[in-house]
Amino acid sequence: MEFADEARELLLVAPADFVRQRTARQRAVRKDDRALATRIGGLRKPAPAAWVVDLLAHEGALDEAVDLGPAIRQAQADADPDEIRRLRRQRSDVVAALAQAGAGLASDAGHPLTSAVLDQVRATIEAATADEHAGAAVRSGLLVRPLESAGFDDVDLDGALADPDAVPDAWSGTDAKPIPITSARRSRKGSRASRPEPEPEPEPEPEPQSEPEPEPQAEPQAESGPRTDPAAERRAAREAEATARAESRDADAALDAREQELEAAEDRRAELERQLADATAEVERAERARDEAADASDRARDLLRAAQHHRRDVGR
C-alpha cells in the first residue's frame, strides 16, 4: 500500500488507540518495506476534531458542504446579499447536521466529544466552504489538525495533512506541479499584497460661510490612550496563533515520541521477561536432571557395595 492509503486507515483509529495501532502497523510492514515503515512511524496522531472530520470524509459525508463553497464565493463576488444569506443559512444547516453526525460516529467508537471539539469540527467544515484548498484538504481524509477560516485570508494548511503530496489541490488548486504548502500560502498572500491599493478620493472643500456660527463646545473626553492599529493587532493575533499552533504540534510530536519509547521499553521488558522465563525453565530442567543423576549415582553405589559383599561371601 502507498503511504497515503496507510495514513487514511490509521487516521480512522480513535486518538486514544492511535499510537498502539500505528506501532503495530509499522512493525507489520517493516520486513517488506523499511522506508514505508519509517513514514508510518512518523505519522502524527490526529487531533480529536481532525479525527472526526476524517471519519466524515471516509463516509463521503462532506461533499455537500464542500460543494457549497463555490456558490458562496460566487455570490460574494456578485455582491448578491439575498443569495449570500440563503447560502449561509443552508451552510449553517449542513454544518450543524454534519457536526451531529460526527458526534454520533465518535460515540459509536466509544469516544464521545466535548463541546470544544465539536466547535472545532464545525469551524473546520466552514473553512472547507470558504477556501477551495481547504475543501480539498478536508475531503482527503488525511487531516491531522482542525482548520479555521479567518476573514478573507486563505485558510492556513501548514501541517494540516498527513501526506500533502497526496492532495496537490490543497496547495495549488491547479494541475500545476505541486509546490510546498507553505510556499503556496505565501504566494497567494503575496499576490493579494501586491495589488495596488485604491487611491483615496479627495475630500470636498468646505463651502465658505459668511457668518460662521459658533461651534458648540464639546464635552471633554477622557484620554483613551494611544491609538491602536487594527491591522497590526490582527497580524499580531495571527502570529500568536501560528506560534501556539507550532508549539502544539511540537508538543504532540514529543508526546508521540515518548509514547513510542514507552512501547519500545515495554516490548524490551516483555522480551527480557520471556528470556527470564526460558532461563528459569532451563535451570529447573537442569536441577531435575542433576537430581535424577544423583539418584542414579546412589543406586549404582548401592549395587557396587552389594556386589562387593557378595564377592567376599563367595570367597570364604
Side-chain angles (χ1 to χ4, degrees):
M1 293 176 67
E2 295 292 335
F3 173 67
D5 297 326
E6 295 279 1
R8 282 189 182 92
E9 287 193 5
L10 284 170
L11 291 175
L12 298 176
V13 176
D17 305 321
F18 177 81
V19 173
R20 178 175 55 82
Q21 293 287 349
R22 180 187 61 190
T23 301
R25 186 58 189 156
Q26 181 185 20
R27 290 172 181 165
V29 304
R30 181 179 294 155
K31 181 177 66 174
D32 297 325
D33 193 335
R34 295 188 66 84
L36 178 59
T38 299
R39 294 195 70 186
I40 291 173
L43 179 62
R44 283 179 51 202
K45 179 171 67 176
W51 167 61
V52 174
V53 173
D54 287 334
L55 290 176
L56 291 169
H58 181 69
E59 297 287 326
L62 296 172
D63 292 349
E64 181 180 0
V66 175
D67 290 343
L68 277 173
I72 293 174
R73 292 192 290 273
Q74 185 60 51
Q76 290 170 337
D78 295 340
D80 186 341
D82 293 336
E83 184 68 2
I84 290 173
R85 280 193 295 271
R86 184 188 72 80
L87 289 171
R88 284 181 174 172
R89 284 195 297 269
Q90 183 179 352
R91 178 180 65 181
S92 178
D93 293 341
V94 170
V95 169
L98 286 172
Q100 184 176 1
L105 292 173
S107 295
D108 291 344
H111 295 272
L113 304 181
T114 65
S115 59
V117 171
L118 273 176
D119 287 342
Q120 291 180 336
V121 171
R122 283 189 283 267
T124 299
I125 300 171
E126 288 176 356
T129 69
D131 183 303
E132 60 182 324
H133 310 294
V138 163
R139 197 149 39 181
S140 72
L142 292 169
L143 207 64
V144 294
R145 69 165 177 82
L147 305 179
E148 185 176 3
S149 176
F152 293 101
D153 286 342
D154 296 326
V155 175
D156 181 8
L157 297 176
D158 190 14
L161 291 169
D163 185 8
D165 292 331
V167 199
D169 286 346
W171 1 350
S172 64
T174 70
D175 293 329
K177 181 179 179 181
I179 55 177
I181 230 173
T182 50
S183 300
R185 195 174 69 252
R186 283 197 298 270
S187 66
R188 294 198 298 272
K189 289 185 178 179
S191 63
R192 285 200 303 273
S194 62
R195 296 171 188 164
E197 295 289 337
E199 295 184 1
E201 297 182 0
E203 297 183 0
E205 295 183 359
E207 296 181 358
Q209 296 181 355
S210 57
E211 290 293 334
E213 295 182 0
E215 295 286 340
Q217 294 294 325
E219 295 183 2
Q221 296 182 354
E223 290 292 331
S224 59
R227 297 179 62 185
T228 59
D229 181 358
E233 287 185 344
R234 287 194 296 271
R235 285 194 300 272
R238 285 196 296 269
E239 291 172 0
E241 181 185 355
T243 300
R245 182 177 291 118
E247 291 177 354
S248 176
R249 287 198 298 268
D250 292 344
D252 286 345
L255 175 61
D256 284 352
R258 300 296 84 77
E259 288 177 335
Q260 284 185 314
E261 291 174 359
L262 175 60
E263 289 201 0
E266 289 176 344
D267 288 344
R268 289 195 297 272
R269 181 180 66 181
E271 177 62 20
L272 290 173
E273 289 176 347
R274 186 188 64 77
Q275 293 177 1
L276 176 60
D278 291 344
T280 301
E282 184 66 25
V283 168
E284 291 175 351
R285 285 194 296 271
E287 288 177 344
R288 286 196 298 271
R290 180 202 59 190
D291 293 342
E292 291 172 358
D295 291 343
S297 176
D298 290 342
R299 288 193 298 273
R301 282 195 296 269
D302 290 341
L303 289 173
L304 175 60
R305 284 194 294 270
Q308 289 173 340
H309 287 308
H310 179 68
R311 178 177 57 80
R312 284 197 296 269
D313 291 341
V314 171
R316 286 178 184 170

